[in-house]
Amino acid sequence: MKLFNTMTMRKDEFVPLEPGKVKIYTCGPTVYDYFHVGNARPLIMFDVLRRYFEYRGNEVTYVLNFTDIDDKIIKRANEEGIDSSDVAKKYISEFWVDARNLGVRDATIHPKATENIGEIIDMISKLIKKGLAYQSGRDVYYRTERFADYGKLSHQPLDELQAGARVDVAEIKENPVDFALWKGAKPDEPFWDSPWGQGRPGWHIECSAMSSKYLGDTIDIHCGGQDLTFPHHENEIAQSEGCSGKQFVRYWLHNGFINIDNKKMAKSQGNFFTVRKAAEAYGYESIRMFMLMSHYRSPLNYSGEILLQAKSALDRLKTARANLEFIAANGSDGALGDAENELIIALPRYRERFIEAMDDDFNTADAVSVIFELVRECNTVAGSGSPSKRFALAAFDFLNELGGVLGLFYAEAGDKDLNAEVEALIEARQAARKEKNWAEADRIRNKLGEMGIVLEDTPQGVKWKTS
């Protein structure tokens, strides 16, 4: 497998530190609001990366953190007149609603910044002892000039960064590029005790501390949005490598932006759509499909029209899958036909092409194309003659295998209850038809129609789908 490594700016062959085991860290949300569609991209794409490594037989330790103390959280708490911890709890809860409805699996570990203050203080203390950090007033800053490789991820020499940096009016930093590790508490702000007085951690240090705690000094992959390359990830490298003296990350993966009118979707710009609002209009599964149909490093333009296209594409896959499932239960018990046998023999080649796409820098767009080719062939075979149960079951299982790697076909909340209710009504309608109680059969069919259920009579029996 080759991955485009932001550090080397090329596709590098992926070799884990420990054979069969992969350690991944992804920067999670700052929990002060509902997350938007742009935030959803790394959640979805790196969820798929984790699934794919597991599909290939690896044991994955996947860490995705919550930043639960931050200026934005404090600001929201002051606006709402509640404690900052209550803001964080509320939006962590809301995060789970959206993430799980997007089909994003729980990480192995979801650490919170406020639960790792001790580790953060220990790391800052080590950096001070090494001369890589210094106290200024009640704050502590990282001394960037002492870290020789500062700028190596963003490929910007330190002197260029210094030239473009804003000089603080208070002149509390030795160098404008120095960044905060610890912030002295202001009145009415939450704080923790530390050797430098009461305060709270800076944003960058929490990820270094939590990555080290849960994954060790050196990890395989660090993921995040393109906008985090500088300064966040650059600062993580300086902190982690400055503290341990070891390479922090071997492969850096960054996803491209979600754009609106060719401008990055961002809350700071006011041009964003929350996942919750987008899902109300197009469904959570459509959002996931929208992400998967493009390469993770490519920029994506968001629009209602494109989400409708994603929904239509996903519906084609789901309809094909439902047809195969139905035939597997109700089809012919006879021998495989020639076309069925040929397709079953070809299934491993589809798997090889799927793996080839995913091994080429995690190319979900090409992997999705392979699945659509498979579905077209399945539809052709299933639509001719009397398809067999054996063929349908083999194709159904295979489609689930590949779709499962991408996190497709997951059930949204309430689907199981809906399925049971619909199946019961269909059975009642069939019983009414056998008894020639046409009025009752029509009543049930109309009720199903009001529920958005469309019935289709086939040689194998009655099928249904949502309209």
Side-chain angles (χ1 to χ4, degrees), residues 321-372:
R321 178 177 177 273
N323 287 342
L324 291 170
E325 184 177 27
F326 185 80
I327 295 169
N330 302 283
S332 165
D333 288 315
L336 290 172
D338 290 342
E340 291 178 327
N341 192 51
E342 288 177 9
L343 182 54
I344 289 176
I345 291 173
L347 291 181
R349 291 199 291 273
Y350 282 99
R351 182 186 289 113
E352 289 170 7
R353 290 176 56 208
F354 180 89
I355 289 173
E356 182 180 352
M358 294 294 282
D359 277 356
D360 183 13
D361 192 27
F362 181 40
N363 194 334
T364 60
D366 284 356
V368 167
S369 295
V370 172
I371 292 176
F372 272 106

Side-chain angles (χ1 to χ4, degrees), residues 79-245:
E79 290 171 352
E80 298 186 7
I82 59 176
D83 191 80
S84 60
S85 63
D86 292 327
V87 171
K89 288 176 186 175
K90 173 184 175 180
Y91 288 108
I92 287 174
S93 177
E94 297 296 349
F95 167 89
W96 287 123
V97 171
D98 288 329
R100 286 169 178 159
N101 278 322
L102 286 169
V104 174
R105 292 169 49 197
D106 292 8
T108 313
I109 306 163
H110 282 283
K112 301 180 182 70
T114 59
E115 294 174 350
N116 291 274
I117 299 296
E119 287 78 10
I120 291 169
I121 289 173
D122 286 346
M123 180 169 272
I124 295 172
S125 297
K126 289 177 183 177
L127 291 170
I128 291 174
K129 188 175 181 179
K130 288 189 169 189
L132 290 167
Y134 59 93
Q135 184 173 358
S136 179
R138 294 180 302 131
D139 303 330
V140 179
Y141 292 93
Y142 190 94
R143 192 175 268 124
T144 54
E145 285 189 319
R146 295 281 182 90
F147 186 70
D149 291 333
Y150 192 78
K152 65 180 178 179
L153 181 66
S154 53
H155 307 285
Q156 302 177 77
L158 182 58
D159 55 355
E160 289 183 12
L161 294 170
Q162 289 170 329
R166 178 180 62 85
V167 179
D168 285 46
V169 176
E171 295 183 352
I172 58 174
K173 297 194 288 186
E174 294 177 357
N175 188 313
V177 184
D178 294 350
F179 56 91
L181 301 175
W182 188 262
K183 298 180 178 182
K186 297 175 183 176
D188 300 322
E189 281 190 352
F191 62 82
W192 288 262
D193 291 325
S194 80
W196 319 286
Q198 295 175 336
R200 56 188 172 87
W203 175 36
H204 313 297
I205 192 67
E206 65 182 70
C207 286
S208 287
M210 289 186 283
S211 176
S212 173
K213 177 179 178 179
Y214 295 105
L215 296 173
D217 291 333
T218 303
I219 67 174
D220 292 300
I221 299 173
H222 197 311
C223 307
Q226 205 174 69
D227 56 324
L228 297 181
T229 306
F230 184 86
H232 185 52
H233 290 161
E234 195 73 71
N235 292 349
E236 280 188 63
I237 292 171
Q239 295 164 159
S240 298
E241 296 188 0
C243 190
S244 71

Side-chain angles (χ1 to χ4, degrees), residues 13 31 37 47 129 140 173 245 260 321 344 374 377 431:
E13 188 73 34
V31 284
V37 176
D47 170 72
K129 188 175 181 179
V140 179
K173 297 194 288 186
I260 297 179
R321 178 177 177 273
I344 289 176
L374 170 65
E377 291 299 317

